[in-house]
Structures are given as C-alpha cells and as structure tokens.
Amino acid sequence: MQALAAATACMPMARLAAPRQQQRQQRHAPAAASRRQQPCRRSAARRLVMVTAEAGTSGAAAASQLQAFSQTAPQRVLGADGKLAEFPTTAGVYAVYDSSGTLHYLGLSRKIAVSLATHVEALPEGLVHSVKVLEVPEASKEELQEAWKAWMQEAVAEAGAIPPGNASGQTLWQQRRPRAAKPEIRLTPGKGVQDLTCSVEDLVDQVVKTCKVVAFVKGTRTQPQCGFSYKVLTILQESGADFEVVNVLDDVYNPGLREAIKNYSAWPTIPQVFVGGEFIGGADIVEEMNGSGELKTALQQAGAVRG
Amino acid sequence: MVGSSDVEERLRTELDVQDLKVQELAGCGTSFALYIVSESFAGKRLLERHKLVNLALAPLMPHIHALSIKKAKTPEEEQGAAEKQKPPSQQQAAAM
C-alpha cells in the first residue's frame, strides 16, 4: 500500500496541475464557456458513482463515499491523552493539516488508522495535527485512486496549489520510523534457579495466563535462532497481533526454561504458541491455522487483534 | 542416531497408518518432515493429531533435533483433497 501511495502521491506535475489550468481558463472564459465546463465535473462525479455502484456499493454508501472535501471537517489526530484518536481501520483517503491549518498531504490507504499512526511516529511534531477523512470501505485499487483524485482536485482548487507533501519527488510522507522491537519477557531477575521461590513452570504459567499471546522461541523477536521460531514470529508479526516473546535459550534470565516449557505443555518441541491462555501448537500448526483463517479467529477471540 | 526407518517403524507400530512419508531434512542435527494419512486422526482436531504423532515418537524425540508434521489427515480428507486437485473434466467424469 505504501508503494501504491507513493506512486499516486508522486503523480506527474502536469497531470496534477490540470485543475489549476482549468481554473485559469474559467476565470478568463466567457460565461457560456464557463457553463460548458461544468458537465466535466458532473461527469467525473457520475463516473465515480458508476464505479462504486458496479462494485456493489449501496446508494447510501456511495453518497457517503462522495462526501466533498470542502464539506468535511478536520479532526484532531491526537486525543487529549496524546494518543491517536479513533480513526477508521478501513480503506480511504485522508488529508493532513499542520497546527496552523495548512494542508500538507493527501494520502490514500488500505488502513487509514495505521497510516496516520505511521505519520505521527515518523514526522515532526505538529506537522500531523488534524486530518480530513473520506472512508471508502472495501474499495478496489481503482476506486480508491478515483476517490483520491476527486479529493485532490478539490484540495488544489481550494488551496490554489498542490499539497507540498504530494509534490513530485517528495518522499517525506512515505518515510517510516523504525519501531523499537518489543523486549522479550524475562522470567527471572537473572540470579539463577536457586534463588527462585517458585518453579520455572509456575512462572511459565503466570506468563501464559497473563498474556493474550505469547510465543516461546529460540532466540529473540528480532534475532530468531531457528527456522521454525522465525516462521512463528513472522506469522504473528504479519497478523498484526499484540504478542509477547520468551527466549528459551536465555539461560541467564530464563534458566531451565527449555525443558520446563516442554513439561508444562506436554509438547516436545520449540517454538510453542499460547493464545488466550491455551496452547495452540508449534510452527506447523500455527502455519496451517494461519492458512485456514483459524489463527485470526483465535487472535480476535483473545483480543490480540481488532475484529 | 535416529534414521527415517526408525521413525517410520514407530509410526506404523503406534498409529493406524494408511499412507506415510518420512523425509529427512537437511540442516544441523537429525530433522524430519512427516506426511501421514491415518484413521487414528478421525474425529480429532489438528493439535490432538500432532500430539498423537509426538506420543508415538516419544522414545525417539530426545535424539531428534527438529520435527515438522506437514500432513496429518484421515484417508477421507486425503481423498477429498485429491479430488479437488483433479482437472474439472476428470471431476465431471468421476461424478457421472
């Protein structure tokens, strides 16, 4: 989706400049000629309606998707608590303003909330202050692009210029700040088994019961030391789940874990994945469940991903 | 040292196997990929099936570095999967 956004965001200047040329023509054209320009806008709107209608969108949804840029009120990106406000996790178009109300970027996304979160993390404070959102759920690639174009035309007409973030060659809004990897869970303070007041299996039980999703693997989240552990971590990461990792090879902080986890689950191999406090299997089972959709269901039921 | 023949023997002894393939995997240590069709899996979900296999191989597990169960199906499931892979023309011929 980033590639698509980059491709469309960096459209050639000549194409994006077309609305401005039309504006100049209209300002100097006779009234009759000006009226003749109007059908073009209605034709564009009609085409958008036809596209959405052909995609099976209801009339109400089509009307919602055609919400005019100028009639959409911007909303704050961050709430009073400093966290991202509630935004759709569906596809759509969004327009980002800085704290002074200047439009900086018009983007399209398969998951609006995710894109906004990415911008907030990657860009300077104050640049992503408020946003206009046009939700286009279940849109095809073409429909999304059409919606973006419609809003871009309106935005250019309103501001008199292309948003700076959409200028040709501009890549600021495609940047993504590397997210710090979540640290692995450590079962002990690192003083050795002899200082523990309970067994390692008891500690495992606490972790399993406490975490929505936890994977016991060989290695860490960013440096798995086994192909099967890598497989499990990749699947969980791609699922978007909020999950914890415990490194069974860490003898300092997780002494005896490699054997304790096998006894705990009655499962002879590693990695092992627990969801909602229940053991669901190793790499092969997780992979198969991912393919069949069962993993997503289990993660949703555990509250590890949004349903 | 555990070989594929040892694994196969254990599985055939412990499970009601209709079809079995034991593949030795390249890499560090003794590793196997298993493709099993067995009536013993009937009525059991995936986790239970894998546990059955693990239990059957329990005496050998200390000597096995990695175990990958690629297939754990009943004969009916295997037959259904085979039917799905047939070209449409053959499926129609079979239906007649």
Side-chain angles (χ1 to χ4, degrees):
Chain A
M1 196 62 224
Q2 289 294 327
L4 175 62
T8 54
C10 296
M11 285 183 177
M13 286 291 292
R15 296 181 62 183
L16 291 177
R20 190 186 301 176
Q21 292 173 2
Q22 289 177 9
Q23 293 177 51
R24 287 198 292 265
Q25 291 174 6
Q26 288 174 13
R27 285 198 295 267
H28 297 88
S34 177
R35 283 196 293 273
R36 286 198 294 272
Q37 295 292 326
Q38 292 176 6
C40 295
R41 293 183 179 175
R42 287 199 290 268
S43 297
R46 189 179 303 114
R47 284 197 296 273
L48 186 55
V49 172
M50 290 176 65
V51 168
T52 54
E54 288 170 2
T57 308
S58 68
S64 175
Q65 293 167 22
L66 290 174
Q67 182 174 328
F69 178 82
S70 60
Q71 295 175 8
T72 305
Q75 61 182 107
R76 288 288 299 271
V77 173
L78 300 179
D81 56 0
K83 296 181 179 179
L84 191 73
E86 191 73 23
F87 287 103
T89 56
T90 52
V93 180
Y94 60 94
V96 185
Y97 296 80
D98 66 16
S99 54
S100 70
T102 301
L103 174 62
H104 278 267
Y105 180 70
L106 199 66
L108 69 172
S109 171
R110 282 293 176 190
K111 293 183 177 179
I112 294 171
V114 174
S115 293
L116 292 176
T118 300
H119 294 322
V120 168
E121 289 182 6
L123 298 174
E125 189 174 350
L127 188 59
V128 187
H129 180 267
S130 54
V131 63
K132 292 186 179 183
V133 170
L134 172 65
E135 193 175 354
V136 194
E138 299 180 358
S140 67
K141 175 181 175 181
E142 291 73 23
E143 289 165 350
L144 203 55
Q145 289 175 332
E146 285 299 316
W148 180 86
K149 289 176 183 177
W151 261 34
M152 178 59 80
Q153 288 176 0
E154 288 192 65
V156 171
E158 183 177 291
I162 297 170
N166 293 100
S168 179
Q170 179 60 249
T171 61
L172 178 66
W173 292 83
Q174 279 72 56
Q175 290 179 13
R176 182 188 297 268
R177 179 183 297 168
R179 181 177 299 177
K182 200 174 189 180
E184 286 71 37
I185 286 180
R186 294 173 170 176
L187 299 181
T188 76
K191 297 178 181 177
V193 182
Q194 63 276 9
D195 294 331
L196 296 178
T197 56
C198 60
S199 70
V200 175
E201 288 188 37
D202 288 337
L203 296 175
V204 168
D205 187 59
Q206 289 178 30
V207 169
V208 167
K209 299 291 175 51
T210 303
C211 303
K212 295 174 182 176
V213 182
V214 58
F216 293 82
V217 301
K218 293 181 179 179
T220 65
R221 191 184 295 258
T222 56
Q223 291 184 319
Q225 297 182 30
C226 156
F228 295 107
S229 293
Y230 173 80
K231 180 191 291 185
V232 160
L233 292 172
T234 300
I235 290 172
L236 291 175
Q237 190 69 34
E238 291 177 350
S239 73
D242 179 20
F243 69 99
E244 307 295 341
V245 173
V246 184
N247 180 4
V248 304
L249 300 182
D250 186 352
D251 287 329
V252 175
Y253 293 100
N254 304 322
L257 174 59
R258 189 168 181 175
E259 292 306 313
I261 188 61
K262 296 178 182 178
N263 294 331
Y264 177 82
S265 62
W267 188 264
T269 59
I270 290 164
Q272 298 183 16
V273 177
F274 293 77
V275 176
E278 292 189 6
F279 176 63
I280 66 166
D284 292 328
I285 292 178
V286 170
E287 183 177 41
E288 187 160 335
M289 290 178 70
N290 188 44
S292 69
E294 291 176 84
L295 179 63
K296 182 178 179 181
T297 300
L299 295 172
Q300 288 172 346
Q301 290 175 348
V305 294
R306 289 185 179 180
Chain B
M1 188 67 180
V2 174
S4 57
S5 58
D6 300 306
V7 173
E8 183 169 346
E9 182 181 352
R10 286 292 306 177
L11 291 173
R12 291 193 181 279
T13 300
E14 300 298 321
L15 301 177
D16 182 11
V17 171
Q18 278 67 55
D19 188 30
L20 174 63
K21 176 184 175 184
V22 179
Q23 181 182 10
E24 287 202 46
L25 300 174
C28 58
T30 305
S31 305
F32 301 98
L34 306 180
Y35 301 81
I36 308 168
V37 177
S38 169
E39 285 286 6
S40 300
F41 297 146
K44 293 181 171 59
R45 57 190 187 99
L46 190 58
L47 184 59
E48 276 69 36
R49 297 182 185 193
H50 281 228
K51 284 186 174 181
L52 267 185
V53 175
N54 291 334
L55 184 61
L57 297 177
L60 304 180
M61 288 306 292
H63 310 288
I64 294 176
H65 175 74
L67 186 70
S68 182
I69 302 172
K70 297 295 188 182
K71 180 196 292 183
K73 291 185 176 180
T74 64
E76 291 74 22
E77 291 165 349
E78 180 68 355
Q79 179 66 23
E83 288 292 327
K84 286 183 180 178
Q85 291 178 0
K86 285 182 180 179
S89 56
Q90 288 189 24
Q91 289 183 13
Q92 290 176 7
M96 292 180 179

